[in-house]
């Protein structure tokens, strides 16, 4: 023992085996647990930050004894040291926790009974000897050895980073990226992790670097700070930055003089890490190449003759009307005519304005003329919706362009172009400048291109504002659809959407509880002004109210769309609460401290070209293999197996961000909206979330927050250089 209980705030130490973890916060490592000191039978309550510790470890804690009004005496620690367990008792506890895939409670007991206190050394250095234990074969030995090596690497990184606020999930990404070299890379080139591992920012890498003794004003640090600020700007949607603004922001970040930053900007320019655009504006090379490529490819299409067969456009439109069985509005006829007459055209409009009618009719005309027509959308869900609307095969951009992971790029490009006469791109507002450049570069110059989208929706998650920039350039034929045709079909949603764009969209009178919702209406508002009330109402709506009133399946037909990730009313907590309500049982998989259950609705968070699964794809966990750390996901009709470290690419999807929902439609949408979301409360955010709903939408929260959002139409203007580049060739 290293310190007896003392009253007050005297600094004490406590050493023992961690018996239980009763609460753990993955974001900051805060833990509440029970510790057993020596041979004592009584467990001691301990609270403090201890990232990545597991039951069975021996902890040396430094802190003080306190009396909690509800939980009684507990040891509150400020620092800790962790040791692998040395006693047979501790090892048994450690291995029984499920930390090492392939060893559950039964095998933990068998292994420790056989090897005793020498168990961990045997696993680490003589793993083949595990076959001495009855029931353990070569396959399980291999699984245990791999899991032990992986856990050792994770543990080293966690122990190294525990003072820098890096979450378990990010540490897992570091190990996945660098393997056993993770700790060495962090010590020798900490700024590298900013470039290599999404989610780790400059401040974390900088804390590591400064603690390792790197100079505060060294060129490596200033360069990293400048490039970090450029990336921050791109993450906010911009593709170029004014030079002086970059210097001042970087100097503020680095707590140094702007003149010193200016000198390093000159060096970064000379080494082509930065590229000049307009006078005194700067770009990262990738954005510059993407905008130049997109502009040049569009000019090539405009300048080349059409490969379409001769079409009498007026007669084609008449034929399409007869086939549809009704007359088109003037704007609809104009949209079809413009697409057939112009090499590059744009069709934009809100919900219910007739985009689907134009798309279906145009495809019918092109089929009748036996042209090679390609339909494409940013996401799998949008592609399926497009295919249903047009009665023609549609696919995602990534599948169309055939990404090759071994070469790190698309195999379909300007050197190996698509075979088509006409390409129609739906949900164009979701296209960032790099993906747009890759797509247009692959289109033959003789083909036609029609870009379809809603310019009033949120812009792309990635940098750029492609649809708006192409419209603003005035170089392309643009058809704007403003008359609503679906008013009678979905009067509440469509009518409110157009009212929101005009700044006068008022929701229906709020009801006080979810059970007061009137099924007759399409749009509802449940008053729940506090985050706690909001979450309670959302979970009740998911579990009982909406399934009972509308006869829906809450997993298949319902989607919660929230503005923010963090906080009580954020996406993270909503997912936890809804999952516990809709899917409380089932086999579980724990990665770090992230929980996944069999039957969970999940979303992919990054492109995985090897598995042909992309950022935003949603599926359901069909099976959990706890021994090997694998999960099987059903993405529509495809079953994908995720290996242990790939599970970090998944997040629960009972609630998702509004950005992630773009390109999708759901029968019913629940939209939490609170004053705590003030940073995101903008008119186009509410408009985008609302228009994802096909039949019903339920706002839950504070009517004042809704009003704030509708009044705020001053959305951030994205700074891009595409329009200028488009006009350079004129």
């Amino acid at each position: 023992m290293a310190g007896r209980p003392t009253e007050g705030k005297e600094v004490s130490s406590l050493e023992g085996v961690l018996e239980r973890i009763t609460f753990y916060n993955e974001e900051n490592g805060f833990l509440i647990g029970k510790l057993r000191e020596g041979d004592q039978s009584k467990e001691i309550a301990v609270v403090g930050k201890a990232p990545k510790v597991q039951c069975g470890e021996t902890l040396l804690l430094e802190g003080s004894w306190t009396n909690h009004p509800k939980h009684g005496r507990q040891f509150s620690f400020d620092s800790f040291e962790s040791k692998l367990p040395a006693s047979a008792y501790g090892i048994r506890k450690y291995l029984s926790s499920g930390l090492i895939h392939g060893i559950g409670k039964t095998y933990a007991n068998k292994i420790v009974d056989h090897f005793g206190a020498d168990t961990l050394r045997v696993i680490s250095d003589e793993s083949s000897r595990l076959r001495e234990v009855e029931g353990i074969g070569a396959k399980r030995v291999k699984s245990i050895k791999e899991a032990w090596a992986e856990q050792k690497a994770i543990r080293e990184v966690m122990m190294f980073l525990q003072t820098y606020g890096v979450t378990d999930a990010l540490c897992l990404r570091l190990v996945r990226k660098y393997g056993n070299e993770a700790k060495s890379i962090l010590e020798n080139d900490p700024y590298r992790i900013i470039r290599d591992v999404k989610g780790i920012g400059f401040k974390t890498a900088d804390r590591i670097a400064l603690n390792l003794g790197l100079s505060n004003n060294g060129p490596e640090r200033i360069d990293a700070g400048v490039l970090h600020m450029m990336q921050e700007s791109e993450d906010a949607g911009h593709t170029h930055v004014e030079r002086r603004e970059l210097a001042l922001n970087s100097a503020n970040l680095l707590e140094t003089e702007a003149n010193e930053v200016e000198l390093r900007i000159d060096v970064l320019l000379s080494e082509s890490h930065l590229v000049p655009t307009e006078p005194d504006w700067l770009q990262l090379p990738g954005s510059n190449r993407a905008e130049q490529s997109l502009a040049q490819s569009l000019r090539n299409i405009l300048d080349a003759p059409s490969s379409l067969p001769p079409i009498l456009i007026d007669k084609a439109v008449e034929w399409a009307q007869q086939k549809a069985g009704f007359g088109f509005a003037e704007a609809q006829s104009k949209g079809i005519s413009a697409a057939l007459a112009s090499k590059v055209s744009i069709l934009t409009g809100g919900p219910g304005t007739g985009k689907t009618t134009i798309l279906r009719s145009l495809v019918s005309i092109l089929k009748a003329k036996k042209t090679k027509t390609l339909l494409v959308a940013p996401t799998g869900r949008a592609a399926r919706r497009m295919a249903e609307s047009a009665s023609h095969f549609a696919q995602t951009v990534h599948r169309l362009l055939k990404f090759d992971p071994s070469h790190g790029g698309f195999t379909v490009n300007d050197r190996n172009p698509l075979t088509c006469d006409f390409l129609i791109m739906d949900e164009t507002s979701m296209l960032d400048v790099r993906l747009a450049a890759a797509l247009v570069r692959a289109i033959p110059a003789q083909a036609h291109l029609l870009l379809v989208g809603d310019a009033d929706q949120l812009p792309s998650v990635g940098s750029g504002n492609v649809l708006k920039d192409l419209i603003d350039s005035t170089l392309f034929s643009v058809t704007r659809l403003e008359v609503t045709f679906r008013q009678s079909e979905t009067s509440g949603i469509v009518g409110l959407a157009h009212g929101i764009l005009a700044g006068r969209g008022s929701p229906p009178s709020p009801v006080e509880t979810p059970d007061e919702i009137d099924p007759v209406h399409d749009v509802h508002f449940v008053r729940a002004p506090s985050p706690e009330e909001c979450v309670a109402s959302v979970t009740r709506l998911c579990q009982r109210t909406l399934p009972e009133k509308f006869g829906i399946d809450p997993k298949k037909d319902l989607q919660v769309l929230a503005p923010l990730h963090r906080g009580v009313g954020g996406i993270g907590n909503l997912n936890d609460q809804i999952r516990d309500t809709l899917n409380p049982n089932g086999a579980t998989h724990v990665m770090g401290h992230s929980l996944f259950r069999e039957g969970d609705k999940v979303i992919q968070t990054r492109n995985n070209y090897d598995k042909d699964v992309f950022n935003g794809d949603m599926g359901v966990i069909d099976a959990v293999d706890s021994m090997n750390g694998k999960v099987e996901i059903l993405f529509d009709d495809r079953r994908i197996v995720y290996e242990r470290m790939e599970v970090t690419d998944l997040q629960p999807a009972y609630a998702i961000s509004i950005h992630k929902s773009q390109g999708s439609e759901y029968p019913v949408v629940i939209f939490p909206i609170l004053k705590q979301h003030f940073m995101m409360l903008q008119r186009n955010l509410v408009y985008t979330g609302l228009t994802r709903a096909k039949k019903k939408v339920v706002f839950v929260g504070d009517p004042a927050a809704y009003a704030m959002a509708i009044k705020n139409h001053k959305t951030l203007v994205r700074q891009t250089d595409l329009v200028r580049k488009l006009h350079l060739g004129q």
Side-chain angles (χ1 to χ4, degrees):
M1 188 197 74
R4 301 301 304 171
T6 59
E7 295 294 341
K9 296 292 182 180
E10 293 179 34
V11 176
S12 302
S13 59
L14 180 68
E15 183 172 345
V17 174
L18 184 62
E19 290 285 320
R20 284 187 289 146
I21 297 174
T22 54
F23 174 81
Y24 184 82
N25 184 324
E26 183 186 344
E27 291 182 2
N28 61 16
F30 180 77
L31 170 146
I32 302 174
K34 296 289 187 178
L35 196 82
R36 188 186 302 277
E37 185 184 21
D39 318 354
Q40 302 295 316
S41 59
K42 188 176 180 182
E43 295 177 349
I44 300 168
V46 295
V47 296
K49 290 185 179 180
K52 202 56 185 176
V53 296
Q54 299 289 338
C55 292
E57 293 184 37
T58 297
L59 300 183
L60 175 60
L61 309 176
E62 297 284 344
S64 58
W65 291 91
T66 61
N67 275 304
H68 190 277
K70 182 177 179 181
H71 303 294
R73 185 186 295 276
Q74 58 187 23
F75 191 79
S76 177
F77 62 92
D78 303 311
S79 64
F80 81 102
E81 289 181 24
S82 177
K83 308 172 186 176
L84 286 175
S87 67
Y89 171 81
I91 294 170
R92 197 183 302 272
K93 189 81 177 176
Y94 185 65
L95 295 180
S96 296
S97 68
L99 174 71
I100 307 301
H101 294 288
I103 303 179
K105 189 171 183 179
T106 300
Y107 278 106
N109 286 330
K110 285 184 176 182
I111 293 169
V112 177
D113 286 345
H114 189 81
F115 295 111
D118 208 27
T119 296
L120 297 186
R121 188 194 63 77
V122 169
I123 294 174
S124 181
D125 302 330
E126 300 178 58
S127 58
S128 62
R129 289 189 60 197
L130 290 170
R131 297 191 66 178
E132 297 172 15
V133 178
E134 183 184 356
I136 295 183
K139 184 178 178 182
R140 190 177 292 271
V141 168
K142 184 174 182 289
S143 174
I144 292 171
K145 180 64 176 176
E146 288 176 352
W148 176 262
E150 176 188 294
Q151 186 61 34
K152 183 180 178 184
I154 293 171
R155 183 183 181 82
E156 284 186 351
V157 174
M158 282 301 304
M159 295 301 291
F160 180 69
L161 291 179
Q162 66 181 8
T163 58
Y164 303 112
V166 179
T167 65
D168 288 2
L170 289 178
C171 282
L172 291 171
R173 289 188 194 176
L174 283 168
V175 174
R176 180 176 172 183
K177 178 70 178 178
Y178 302 128
N180 292 334
E181 299 297 314
K183 185 168 181 285
S184 173
I185 288 170
L186 287 167
E187 289 176 324
N188 293 305
D189 187 8
Y191 293 112
R192 174 178 167 183
I193 64 176
I194 304 169
R195 304 186 300 272
D196 290 352
V197 184
K198 186 175 176 61
I200 293 188
F202 173 81
K203 290 184 178 178
T204 298
D206 197 41
R207 282 199 300 272
I208 298 170
L210 294 177
N211 275 281
L212 291 171
L214 271 69
S215 170
N216 191 56
N217 287 328
E220 300 94 343
R221 181 172 187 263
I222 295 177
D223 291 355
V226 170
L227 295 176
H228 168 70
M229 292 309 300
M230 286 295 295
Q231 189 59 57
E232 286 271 290
S233 178
E234 283 211 353
D235 290 345
H238 309 296
T239 64
H240 70 164
V241 180
E242 196 272 324
R243 176 176 173 140
R244 188 60 183 168
E245 179 186 351
L246 173 64
L248 291 172
N249 289 340
S250 300
N252 183 57
L253 172 75
L254 298 164
E255 297 181 347
T256 190
E257 296 297 325
N259 291 338
E260 291 191 46
V261 176
E262 289 274 11
L263 293 173
R264 293 308 304 173
I265 288 177
D266 288 333
V267 174
L268 291 169
L269 281 165
S270 69
E271 296 176 350
S272 299
H273 294 299
L274 294 175
V275 179
T277 54
E278 300 178 64
D280 297 323
W281 285 73
L282 305 171
Q283 253 182 332
L284 289 172
S287 292
N288 182 59
R289 286 192 298 271
E291 287 184 341
Q292 284 186 335
S293 171
L294 179 55
Q296 185 60 55
S297 298
L298 287 167
R299 285 196 294 268
N300 292 344
I301 295 174
L302 287 175
D303 294 341
S306 171
S307 63
L308 290 182
I311 298 176
L312 297 174
I313 293 176
D314 290 343
K315 290 188 177 297
V317 173
E318 287 180 20
W319 174 84
Q321 289 182 95
Q322 291 173 359
K323 185 175 174 63
F326 59 88
F328 297 158
E330 182 181 349
Q332 290 176 308
S333 297
K334 180 191 170 191
I336 297 170
S337 299
L340 293 170
S342 307
K343 289 296 299 304
V344 179
S345 57
I346 297 169
L347 178 66
T348 182
T353 54
K355 295 194 297 294
T356 298
T357 297
I358 295 174
L359 180 63
R360 187 185 303 119
S361 299
L362 180 59
V363 169
S364 295
I365 293 169
L366 294 170
K367 279 183 179 178
K369 287 294 181 177
K370 294 182 168 53
T371 63
K372 174 66 173 174
T373 304
L374 295 176
L375 272 55
V376 65
T379 67
R381 297 190 300 280
R384 286 189 293 276
R385 199 155 47 84
M386 190 183 191
E388 291 168 5
S389 300
S391 299
H392 187 83
F393 176 71
Q395 58 192 309
T396 64
V397 179
H398 293 91
R399 292 195 175 102
L400 178 72
L401 300 184
K402 297 181 174 62
F403 188 87
D404 182 359
S406 63
H407 291 90
F410 294 111
T411 58
V412 178
N413 48 43
D414 51 339
R415 296 180 299 280
N416 177 35
L418 296 163
T419 301
C420 68
D421 300 301
F422 210 113
L423 188 142
I424 304 173
M425 174 74 208
D426 199 11
E427 297 288 355
T428 307
S429 63
M430 295 179 66
L431 274 188
D432 62 59
V433 69
R434 299 189 190 207
L435 190 56
L439 174 65
V440 179
R441 185 163 55 240
I443 299 173
Q446 293 78 20
H448 285 236
L449 171 63
L450 172 62
L451 300 169
V452 183
D454 186 346
D456 293 310
Q457 282 192 31
L458 291 169
S460 58
V461 175
S463 59
N465 204 352
V466 174
L467 181 59
K468 182 178 183 302
D469 284 348
L470 296 184
I471 293 172
D472 290 348
S473 75
T474 69
L475 296 175
F476 312 102
S477 173
V478 178
T479 302
R480 297 179 185 273
L481 303 175
E482 297 175 333
V483 177
T484 302
F485 298 98
R486 273 201 283 144
Q487 190 70 29
S488 60
E489 181 188 333
T490 54
S491 57
I493 293 171
V494 175
L496 181 58
H498 288 278
I500 285 171
L501 292 181
R504 52 178 171 75
S506 299
S509 299
V511 296
E512 300 303 319
T513 68
D515 294 339
E516 296 176 56
I517 283 177
D518 185 349
V520 172
H521 300 301
D522 302 330
V523 184
H524 312 268
F525 203 116
V526 177
R527 191 192 307 275
S530 75
E532 292 77 12
E533 291 172 302
C534 178
V535 172
S537 292
V538 168
T539 53
R540 182 169 180 82
L541 284 164
C542 293
Q543 182 185 26
R544 291 187 54 187
T545 307
L546 297 182
E548 289 176 1
K549 286 183 180 285
F550 302 140
I552 63 167
D553 182 327
K555 284 189 186 179
K556 293 181 180 177
D557 303 325
L558 174 65
Q559 186 60 57
V560 178
L561 304 178
L564 286 178
H565 285 271
R566 296 179 183 274
V568 174
I571 292 167
N573 187 49
L574 282 166
N575 269 312
D576 289 344
Q577 302 306 318
I578 298 170
R579 172 172 51 202
D580 286 346
T581 298
L582 297 183
N583 191 30
N585 303 312
T588 60
H589 175 89
V590 179
M591 195 62 194
H593 288 274
S594 297
L595 172 70
F596 295 95
R597 286 195 185 119
E598 201 170 83
D600 268 351
K601 187 176 175 181
V602 292
I603 187 167
Q604 177 78 7
T605 60
R606 76 174 188 96
N607 293 334
N608 187 325
Y609 300 99
D610 291 318
K611 293 189 178 296
D612 203 27
V613 181
F614 302 102
N615 189 0
D617 285 354
M618 294 173 71
V620 174
I621 297 179
D622 189 56
V624 171
D625 179 354
S626 298
M627 186 183 91
N628 296 304
K630 298 178 181 180
V631 297
E632 293 184 20
I633 315 291
L634 284 177
F635 289 99
D636 297 316
D637 56 345
R638 295 190 304 138
R639 182 184 299 273
I640 307 293
V641 177
Y642 278 66
E643 302 296 330
R644 188 178 302 133
M645 297 300 284
E646 291 173 328
V647 178
T648 59
D649 292 338
L650 297 171
Q651 288 180 358
Y654 299 102
I656 63 173
S657 71
I658 292 157
H659 260 119
K660 290 280 189 189
S661 75
Q662 285 184 266
S664 302
E665 283 187 342
Y666 312 96
V668 180
V669 164
I670 299 177
F671 193 141
I673 186 164
L674 297 162
K675 286 183 179 177
Q676 285 78 4
H677 300 149
F678 71 93
M679 291 181 64
M680 297 292 292
L681 293 181
Q682 298 171 348
R683 185 180 298 175
N684 63 351
L685 181 96
V686 177
Y687 173 81
T688 301
L690 171 69
T691 55
R692 300 309 89 206
K694 291 166 65 175
K695 297 179 180 178
K696 308 284 182 182
V697 65
V698 184
F699 291 97
V700 182
D702 190 339
Y706 177 94
M708 287 167 58
I710 303 307
K711 289 177 184 176
N712 181 17
H713 64 284
K714 296 179 181 178
T715 54
L716 177 69
V717 176
R718 292 192 169 189
Q719 300 293 342
T720 69
D721 196 44
L722 179 58
V723 174
R724 185 185 71 88
K725 288 185 171 79
L726 283 164
H727 283 281
L728 283 176
Q730 298 301 301

